[in-house]
Amino acid sequence: MKQIALTLLALIAATAAQARDDTVMLPLADVVQLGLDQGKLDGSVKFYLSGAATPRVSAKLGDDTSNKKTNGVGKDDATACNWAALSALIAFQSSAKQKGANAVVDLHSFYKKNPNKDPVNYECHAGNIMAGVALKGTYARIGK
């Protein structure tokens, strides 16, 4: 019995030592296009990363964070990350509509509550079995 316990402990330690948490930066525009192509985003809510050109904001309607993870087994990092990011954008779109917003502005990565503002890319963390994206943004009404 003691040998089995030691073997299990060794396997757990080996797995933990091989754990992966790679930071991947990918373009948000690709995720938005994927969502539009798949019909998961309807285009009624626009997404603007921090530092990107944004139309005039007529009203700010509150901040929000969306933290999504997905199974990364059998997927390359970009595919898993884009899927997690799309899930976050779908959540933002749903909440924006409820608040009467037509945009999410100042959108930025917020993984483990660390802001990462990039005008083109979002941050994803890819591991051996999971990929995760955390985004924070402000709901807004923008001029056309």
Side-chain angles (χ1 to χ4, degrees), residues 13 16 28 54 78 89 93 95 104 108 116 124 127 138:
L28 187 71
T54 305
L89 295 184
Q93 175 181 266
S95 293
V104 179
H108 57 277
N116 183 352
C124 175
T138 302

Side-chain angles (χ1 to χ4, degrees), residues 37-97:
D37 292 348
Q38 292 183 351
K40 296 182 185 295
L41 297 176
D42 61 17
S44 65
V45 176
K46 305 293 183 200
F47 300 96
Y48 298 95
L49 286 168
S50 297
T54 305
R56 185 183 65 79
V57 173
S58 61
K60 290 185 178 182
L61 305 169
D63 297 332
D64 201 1
T65 303
S66 182
N67 187 350
K68 299 296 181 180
K69 298 193 181 338
T70 191
N71 181 339
V73 176
K75 299 178 186 113
D76 62 83
D77 289 351
T79 300
C81 287
N82 284 342
W83 187 258
L86 179 56
S87 295
L89 295 184
I90 292 167
F92 272 114
Q93 175 181 266
S94 177
S95 293
K97 287 179 176 184

Side-chain angles (χ1 to χ4, degrees), residues 25 28-29 48-53 107 116-122:
M25 299 295 289
L28 187 71
Y48 298 95
L49 286 168
S50 297
L107 191 62
N116 183 352
K117 297 186 177 190
D118 184 297
V120 175
N121 299 306
Y122 70 93

